[in-house]
């Protein structure tokens, strides 16, 4: 016997319960019309992932309860369609304020809620805080579709052996895993390997239904897939796009067969580019901003952010502002103008020299007898930040900051200056990766917005903040290939300082970089939210005290 299942790899909006209900109901009608008899929605699809402290609000949980009933009611006429619906549920119907709830999935059929399963394994690492909101379930859930017994798991459940094993013991013939698993580089391969372990342990084929979309600092890439009973990938959905993914399940053979299309794998650069584009697009659109603006300096960071923004939103939604200082090189003007012209975005110039001189004159009596230093450099950055925020206030566009992870790690950035803004697209992209992405984007035009958008000189010239004469980044920092390797080892992987030195790095470089990471936490705590693309970003999964004397 053969039946069709459908994965609703869709982009939901946190808190938009009416809109999310409409999307789920529309997907159910489309899936049923195409012959599907099982529809899998992602983890917490009904409310969006992650709703964070909304889960503590009784009114929110009540609205989610009503939304579950609405989905059941509006799909009641879809005969024999089984819908797995991800949603939160209060532990008790009359639970008081600030009570905990369940990360749940209900099995709907013909307008009825047949079963509700509670997620058993609650992650509390990296960006996850699920033990803050949810209590774990304890029992397996197995339901029947067209004579096939399906074991249901929710995301983290499938990263542990127990829940899948319990489904198999309860008679499951196939595993269905619904997910909201944030993207980071290499995560797709990790997921497939982990799910393959569950298949090998149970002998059951597995379908992995995943969310797509951006939510504040995290991105979900979709890339839903299915594994046969032998662990072979037999279906894979496209990444970073919405899609109803159909698969045929053949139960007539000795082993259950799953047959579906196989989307091609992406290169690491293409995958990272799509994650950044989707993160910008969803942050801007879901929050209702009419567009974005950014300071275009003629340097590689702002050039990369501009290219991402245009791919995400289109040239008509992007405005650039060049704000030259007395130390801005002529080639910076030329390259900034050329890039804006190549991509067809609005380009304005506002010189900051008059404001800079006014500030210096006002402060001169108070700075008497002291030489110029980083104070005057930071004044220039703060003038630029003020101008950008004024334009943002007047026209409503959100300011995209252009700082990268290397700068944020070491504090090579100015509070209320280049850190001023509403969203930081490359906040989790190291400087070495910035160069690699710029070269990749010049060789590819994935969104049809323009070939070779970044002038070559922007990529090849030594990076500089241009806040003093003949300034270069490497006057203050180790070479970026060294710096980024140290940041990855210390910040992302928690390697001790002495281990990093033993790996061949110079002690002076390691001690300098790690010291800068520690003393600049106060800056990062005030930085705008940005897209997470590594295993550990300076955001929800980096929680270090500002006041601390620990130095190892």
């Amino acid at each position: 016997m053969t039946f069709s299942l459908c994965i609703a790899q869709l982009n939901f909006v946190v808190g938009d319960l009416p809109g999310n209900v409409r999307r789920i109901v529309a997907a159910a009608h489309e899936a049923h019309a195409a012959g599907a008899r099982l529809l899998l929605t992602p983890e917490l699809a009904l409310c969006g992932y992650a709703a964070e402290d909304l889960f503590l609000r009784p009114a929110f949980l009540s609205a989610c309860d009503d939304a579950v009933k609405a989905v059941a009611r509006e799909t009641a006429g879809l005969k024999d369609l089984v819908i797995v619906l991800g949603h939160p549920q209060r532990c008790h119907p009359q639970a008081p304020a600030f009570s905990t709830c369940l990360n749940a999935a209900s099995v709907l059929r013909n307008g009825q809620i047949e079963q509700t399963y509670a997620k058993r394994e609650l992650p509390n690492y990296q960006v996850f805080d699920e033990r803050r909101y949810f209590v774990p379930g304890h029992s397996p859930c197995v339901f029947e579709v067209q004579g096939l017994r399906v074991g249901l798991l929710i995301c983290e459940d499938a990263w542990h052996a127990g829940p899948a094993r319990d489904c198999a013991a309860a008679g499951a013939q196939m595993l269905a895993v619904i997910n909201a698993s944030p993207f980071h580089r290499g995560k797709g391969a990790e997921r497939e390997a982990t799910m393959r372990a569950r298949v090998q342990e149970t002998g059951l084929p597995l379908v992995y239904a995943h969310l797509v979309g951006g939510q504040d600092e995290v991105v979900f890439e979709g890339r839903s897939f299915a594994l046969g009973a032998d662990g072979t990938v037999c279906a894979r959905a496209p990444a970073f796009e919405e899609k109803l993914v159909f698969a045929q399940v053949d139960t007539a053979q000795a082993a259950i067969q799953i047959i579906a299309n196989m989307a091609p794998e992406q290169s690491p650069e293409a995958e990272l580019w799509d994650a950044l584009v989707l993160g910008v697009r969803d942050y801007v659109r879901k929050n209702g901003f009419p567009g974005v603006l950014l300071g275009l300096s003629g340097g590689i960071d702002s050039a990369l952010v501009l290219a991402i923004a245009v791919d995400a939103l289109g040239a008509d939604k992007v405005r650039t502002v060049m704000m030259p200082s007395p130390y801005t090189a002529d080639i910076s003007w030329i390259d900034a103008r050329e890039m804006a012209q190549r991509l067809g975005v609005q380009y304005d110039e506002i010189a900051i020299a008059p404001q800079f001189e006014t500030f210096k004159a006002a402060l001169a009596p108070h700075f008497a007898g002291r030489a110029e230093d980083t104070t005057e450099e930071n004044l220039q950055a703060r003038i630029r930040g003020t101008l950008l925020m004024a334009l943002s206030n007047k026209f409503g566009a959100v300011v995209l900051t252009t700082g990268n992870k290397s700068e944020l790690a070491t504090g090579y950035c100015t509070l209320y200056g280049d850190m001023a803004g509403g969203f930081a697209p490359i906040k989790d992209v190291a400087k070495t990766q910035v160069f690699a992405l710029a070269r990749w984007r010049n060789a590819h035009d994935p969104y049809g917005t323009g070939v070779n958008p970044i002038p070559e000189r922007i990529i090849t010239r030594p990076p500089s903040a241009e806040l003093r004469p003949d300034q270069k980044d490497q006057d203050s920092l180790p070479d970026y290939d060294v710096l980024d390797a140290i940041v990855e080892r210390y910040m992302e992987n928690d390697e001790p300082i002495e281990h990093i030195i033993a790996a061949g790095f110079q002690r002076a470089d390691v001690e300098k970089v790690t010291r800068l990471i520690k003393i600049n936490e106060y800056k990062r705590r005030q930085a705008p939210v940005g897209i997470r693309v590594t295993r550990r970003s300076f955001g929800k999964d980096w929680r270090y005290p500002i006041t601390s004397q620990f130095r190892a």
Side-chain angles (χ1 to χ4, degrees):
M1 182 177 180
T2 300
F3 74 90
S4 175
L5 67 82
C6 178
I7 297 170
Q9 182 174 292
L10 298 177
N11 189 342
F12 299 99
V13 180
V14 167
D16 182 13
L17 298 175
N20 294 340
V21 167
R22 286 193 298 271
R23 306 209 75 197
I24 292 165
V25 169
H29 280 270
E30 185 175 342
H32 187 263
R37 291 299 174 261
L38 172 60
L39 176 69
L40 301 174
T41 70
E43 178 181 11
L44 294 172
L46 193 67
C47 64
Y49 192 99
E52 298 182 311
D53 279 10
L54 287 174
F55 290 126
L56 302 178
R57 298 190 66 82
F60 180 73
L61 296 177
S62 295
C64 289
D65 290 343
D66 292 341
V68 172
K69 296 171 185 174
V71 172
R73 183 175 60 250
E74 295 183 33
T75 59
L78 303 179
K79 183 174 172 57
D80 296 328
L81 176 66
V82 177
I83 302 171
V84 175
L85 177 64
H87 64 94
Q89 185 175 70
R90 284 196 226 185
C91 294
H92 305 288
Q94 304 303 320
F98 303 108
S99 64
T100 50
C101 58
L102 304 173
N103 183 337
S106 289
V107 179
L108 311 182
R109 188 182 338 233
N110 301 326
Q112 302 298 312
I113 300 173
E114 291 189 348
Q115 299 186 59
T116 296
Y117 170 71
K119 186 176 182 178
R120 296 170 58 180
E121 302 290 343
L122 302 178
N124 226 61
Y125 56 87
Q126 293 180 340
V127 299
F128 301 106
D129 277 321
E130 294 206 7
R131 294 178 195 169
R132 177 179 173 89
Y133 309 112
F134 305 121
V135 293
H138 302 285
S139 303
C141 175
V142 178
F143 61 94
E144 177 270 327
V145 182
Q146 301 287 292
L148 181 72
R149 295 185 298 279
V150 181
L152 178 59
L153 304 172
I154 301 177
C155 204
E156 185 76 9
D157 290 339
W159 290 75
H160 299 260
R165 184 178 58 240
D166 291 347
C167 283
Q173 298 167 287
M174 183 178 81
L175 298 174
V177 189
I178 66 170
N179 303 269
S181 175
F183 167 84
H184 62 69
R185 294 197 309 258
K187 186 67 176 287
E190 291 176 28
R191 290 195 200 101
E192 290 185 4
T194 302
M195 295 308 104
R196 187 172 295 110
R198 301 292 85 82
V199 168
Q200 291 169 344
E201 292 159 0
T202 62
L204 302 180
L206 179 149
V207 179
Y208 187 100
H210 195 210
L211 182 66
V212 68
Q215 172 60 29
D216 295 344
E217 69 186 82
V218 294
V219 173
F220 305 93
E221 83 270 32
R223 200 178 180 273
S224 302
F225 61 91
L227 301 176
D230 62 354
T232 302
V233 178
C234 51
R236 186 182 293 121
F240 302 103
E241 65 179 79
E242 291 188 284
K243 194 172 184 65
L244 293 186
V245 183
F246 290 89
Q248 298 300 313
V249 181
D250 185 356
T251 63
Q253 307 299 320
I256 296 166
Q257 304 292 316
I258 303 173
I259 305 167
N261 292 331
M262 186 80 71
E265 291 276 50
Q266 295 178 287
S267 71
E269 293 81 10
E271 183 180 65
L272 179 55
W273 190 265
D274 283 348
L276 296 170
V277 166
L278 181 58
V280 169
R281 180 188 298 134
D282 274 8
Y283 189 83
V284 171
R285 292 182 178 176
K286 289 180 178 180
N287 286 294
F289 293 108
V292 301
L293 62 95
L294 65 140
L296 191 63
S297 67
I300 193 167
D301 295 319
S302 63
L304 187 69
V305 171
L306 173 56
I308 292 166
V310 172
D311 278 4
L313 305 168
D316 61 321
K317 297 291 194 298
V318 181
R319 180 178 184 178
T320 62
V321 187
M322 173 59 157
M323 295 169 285
S325 80
Y327 308 110
T328 300
D330 289 345
I331 57 174
S332 296
W333 293 64
I334 295 167
D335 292 343
R337 287 171 181 168
E338 182 180 346
M339 183 168 181
Q341 185 176 28
R342 289 186 187 189
L343 287 174
V345 298
Q346 181 177 344
Y347 172 82
D348 300 298
E349 292 179 359
I350 305 175
I352 68 167
Q355 297 93 323
F356 184 39
E357 293 303 321
T358 299
F359 270 106
K360 288 200 295 183
L363 291 165
H366 306 281
F367 289 174
R370 294 177 178 267
E372 290 194 358
D373 54 19
T374 55
T375 305
E376 285 72 23
E377 295 178 31
N378 290 339
L379 273 176
Q380 297 166 72
R382 289 178 177 134
I383 291 166
R384 288 171 173 149
T386 298
L387 293 171
L388 288 173
M389 290 308 301
L391 290 169
S392 175
N393 290 161
K394 187 64 69 176
F395 297 100
V398 63
V399 175
L400 300 183
T401 62
T402 60
N404 59 63
K405 187 171 190 173
S406 309
E407 294 170 345
L408 203 62
T410 56
Y412 197 66
C413 46
T414 304
L415 268 178
Y416 325 120
D418 56 320
M419 293 176 69
F423 197 61
I426 61 171
K427 178 179 182 177
D428 198 32
V429 180
K431 188 75 168 191
T432 48
Q433 190 68 60
V434 167
F435 283 104
L437 279 178
R439 294 187 184 96
W440 181 88
R441 179 60 181 87
N442 269 7
H444 301 82
D445 186 14
Y447 295 87
T449 60
V451 298
N452 200 38
I454 303 174
E456 183 64 19
R457 185 165 54 190
I458 289 179
I459 299 174
T460 57
R461 66 186 290 208
S464 169
E466 294 190 324
L467 297 174
R468 65 173 185 264
D470 300 318
Q471 185 179 23
K472 301 291 184 293
D473 288 6
Q474 263 55 66
D475 297 340
S476 306
L477 300 171
D479 288 342
Y480 278 117
D481 56 348
V482 172
L483 189 157
D484 290 348
I486 295 171
V487 170
E488 180 178 5
R489 286 171 175 267
Y490 184 79
M491 180 265 174
E492 294 182 24
N493 300 332
D494 285 322
E495 290 187 33
I497 288 173
E498 294 301 325
H499 287 196
I500 302 172
I501 295 168
F505 293 87
Q506 295 296 314
R507 178 175 291 274
D509 289 338
V510 175
E511 291 184 346
K512 179 174 185 174
V513 171
T514 56
R515 175 181 174 275
L516 289 172
I517 290 173
K518 290 188 281 279
I519 67 173
N520 283 290
E521 182 62 25
Y522 80 101
K523 284 189 180 182
R524 290 188 294 269
R525 199 70 68 88
Q526 301 178 68
V529 66
I531 303 167
R532 174 186 184 269
V533 294
T534 66
R535 188 179 303 275
R536 194 179 207 182
S537 67
F538 287 116
K540 290 174 65 175
D541 49 351
W542 172 267
R543 306 180 191 184
Y544 272 68
I546 296 172
T547 305
S548 170
Q549 293 298 313
F550 186 74
R551 292 291 179 258

